[in-house]
Amino acid sequence: QSALTQPASVSGSPGQSITVSCTGTSSDVGNYDFVSWYQQHPGRAPKLIIYEVTKWPSGVSNRFSGSKSGNTASLTLSGLQAEDEADYYCCSYAGGRTWVFGGGTKLTVL
Amino acid sequence: EVRLVESGGGLVQPGGSLRLSCAASGFTFSSYSMSWVRQAPGKGLEWLSYISTDSSTIDYADSVKGRFTISRDNAKNSLSLQINSLRDEDTAVYYCARDEGWAFDFWGQGTTLTVSS
């Protein structure tokens, strides 16, 4: 149950697109299409923004999109806005009703 | 409106025990599996434990297995986490989260546990 690997930080200017990677193993990301992404603003609870690799929960902007290739999942955020500045976490099902999160990525909107 | 409210955190000495609770409302609690997730100060999220709708399936992260016990009371719409043999590294915000099947779709605001002498 090792944490998934995410870049510590990414940045972009308003209107640009950024991508956050999330690398796991063949026991988690590579073996299941159950990768989810969470947005967390400082002092707030995490919020689900992508589930099952590519799906949006109701009410979440379609500026967020997800994908997966092999052991690596990715979150893309297009049309960056100031309010997108937050921490982003990936999470993967790891079998047996266990889950593993990534270390988190801090997004800075320049 | 779905609502999850955690409670029970506080300052506890190393070696002590604590029971965290999560009160659920706004949805049919007995129809959803639940999990506990924690976040140490300045750190990332760590999944801790899962419990199925009828408590028949329970699982834990290796890091807490043997010290943490998850339970639920569907009649009281309540989820609990018993933590024993507390360590400094258990200091964190503890969240309960609703499991919609393959992701955590609603989270509480968290309760803070500080382990210190």
Side-chain angles (χ1 to χ4, degrees):
Chain A
Q1 294 177 345
S2 298
L4 308 176
T5 300
Q6 298 181 232
S9 63
V10 297
S11 62
S13 299
Q16 288 185 333
S17 295
I18 61 94
T19 297
V20 179
S21 62
C22 169
T23 302
T25 70
S26 57
S27 296
D28 39 63
V29 175
N31 199 36
Y32 305 99
D33 285 336
F34 299 129
V35 175
S36 50
W37 289 89
Y38 302 84
Q39 177 191 60
Q40 187 182 33
H41 287 104
R44 303 293 298 273
K47 173 187 175 184
L48 177 66
I49 55 174
I50 292 286
Y51 68 101
E52 293 180 32
V53 180
T54 62
K55 300 178 180 178
W56 293 282
S58 174
V60 171
S61 170
N62 60 8
R63 294 188 298 109
F64 294 100
S65 62
S67 63
K68 192 187 88 165
S69 177
N71 295 339
T72 298
S74 298
L75 171 73
T76 297
L77 179 51
S78 60
L80 272 180
Q81 300 176 3
E83 68 207 46
D84 299 327
E85 188 161 293
D87 294 326
Y88 291 84
Y89 294 90
C90 62
C91 179
S92 175
Y93 179 63
R97 303 315 292 181
T98 68
W99 302 86
V100 59
F101 280 94
T105 297
K106 181 177 180 60
L107 168 61
T108 300
V109 180
L110 302 171
Chain B
E1 176 195 4
V2 172
R3 199 153 181 250
L4 298 169
V5 179
E6 301 92 340
S7 61
L11 175 62
V12 184
Q13 291 189 336
S17 297
L18 195 72
R19 189 177 188 87
L20 304 179
S21 297
C22 170
S25 60
F27 66 102
T28 304
F29 180 70
S30 60
S31 296
Y32 288 85
S33 300
M34 300 292 294
S35 278
W36 284 96
V37 178
R38 71 181 176 185
Q39 185 169 35
K43 302 296 185 182
L45 302 172
E46 180 187 14
W47 174 82
L48 299 174
S49 184
Y50 163 92
I51 187 167
S52 62
T53 56
D54 61 357
S55 304
S56 61
T57 301
I58 285 174
D59 214 335
Y60 299 95
D62 290 342
S63 59
V64 304
K65 204 169 288 186
R67 291 195 304 122
F68 286 29
T69 303
I70 192 171
S71 61
R72 66 188 296 161
D73 184 338
N74 287 340
K76 295 183 178 180
N77 293 337
S78 178
L79 174 72
S80 296
L81 185 69
Q82 177 70 34
I83 308 176
N84 297 327
S85 303
L86 279 160
R87 306 167 179 169
D88 290 350
E89 54 264 36
D90 293 323
T91 294
V93 175
Y94 286 74
Y95 296 101
C96 63
R98 191 176 82 167
D99 184 338
E100 63 84 33
W102 302 107
F104 307 115
D105 64 343
F106 283 96
W107 298 62
Q109 286 306 301
T111 187
T112 300
L113 169 61
T114 302
V115 182
S116 175
S117 54

